[in-house]
Amino acid sequence: LQQRTAFLRRLTEDLFLAAKLEQKQVMLNEDRVSLGEVMAAVCDSCREEAEQKGVVLQAPPAWELPVWGDQIRLQQILQNLLTNAIHYTPAGGSITVNSRVEAGAALVSVRDTGCGIAPEDLPRIFEKGYTGCNGRTDKRSTGIGLYLCRQIMEKLSHTIRIESEMGVGTKVYLGLDTVSL
């Protein structure tokens, strides 16, 4: 009952945010954000869930890289990506979160050894309400999380992309503008 209630609460919050984004009623706080702090906070909050499932969460300490963004929303995006990775990675699998600078931008990667995403699902994975997973509908998915991730990243003028291979896993990349020192 508690899990179902939490699911419904999250779904309601996500639908509310999606509606506000579509109506352009969400103001994001674009400011200097420590990417290392965001990554550490989210990885710490997800570690217990991963351990309970028997999934190894590897997150080397991220160096202090200042990026432009909304700290709360960047945490929400990373939280969603890690929750998805834990959900779709079987016991004994692993998730690795890294960051680096590439072509003057910060690049965050979340890589899992989960089931992967079917090639026919990849083009639609960011659509609102799309819950396809490996050619079947996933009853535990709201179909809102990745949609919100993309909408927020685009509103912040950042990028998000996904690469996946069935039976191997999924890699999600976030490209963020760095702050000039």
Side-chain angles (χ1 to χ4, degrees):
L1 184 60
Q2 287 176 337
Q3 288 177 339
R4 193 69 188 151
T5 302
F7 174 83
L8 291 173
R9 187 188 81 244
R10 186 177 44 122
L11 176 60
T12 303
E13 290 169 356
D14 287 351
L15 289 170
F16 183 68
L17 178 58
K20 289 184 76 118
L21 280 167
E22 289 169 357
Q23 296 171 8
K24 300 184 181 356
Q25 294 179 344
V26 173
M27 297 299 293
L28 299 176
N29 297 319
E30 294 187 60
D31 203 357
R32 182 182 173 130
V33 175
S34 169
L35 185 58
E37 286 179 18
V38 167
M39 291 174 60
V42 174
C43 289
D44 287 347
S45 73
C46 291
R47 197 168 308 282
E48 184 178 338
E49 181 183 357
E51 288 173 358
Q52 286 178 351
K53 187 170 179 189
V55 173
V56 175
L57 175 56
Q58 302 169 356
W63 38 289
E64 294 306 314
L65 179 62
V67 297
W68 287 112
D70 181 315
Q71 183 165 341
I72 300 294
R73 297 302 178 198
L74 291 175
Q75 286 177 329
Q76 180 181 12
I77 290 166
L78 194 54
Q79 179 86 34
N80 181 275
L81 298 178
L82 281 175
T83 301
N84 284 352
I86 293 166
H87 178 77
Y88 292 108
T89 301
S94 65
I95 300 165
T96 305
V97 182
N98 277 309
S99 66
R100 66 179 188 272
V101 175
E102 187 175 286
L107 185 68
V108 175
S109 63
V110 177
R111 180 181 55 85
D112 67 52
T113 58
C115 57
I117 301 168
E120 62 270 17
D121 289 332
L122 275 173
R124 300 188 60 202
I125 204 73
F126 290 111
E127 290 179 15
K128 183 168 86 172
Y130 189 72
T131 60
C133 177
N134 308 327
R136 67 186 188 330
T137 300
D138 184 348
K139 302 280 191 244
R140 296 173 290 183
S141 174
T142 65
I144 301 293
L146 289 176
Y147 169 80
L148 288 175
C149 289
R150 179 180 229 167
Q151 295 301 309
I152 293 167
M153 289 296 284
E154 287 179 355
K155 191 164 176 69
L156 290 168
S157 300
H158 298 317
T159 61
I160 182 170
R161 67 184 171 87
I162 295 180
E163 297 173 358
S164 190
E165 186 177 340
M166 292 295 296
V168 176
T170 300
K171 297 176 193 167
V172 182
Y173 298 97
L174 304 175
L176 303 111
D177 295 329
T178 57
V179 174
S180 300
L181 299 175

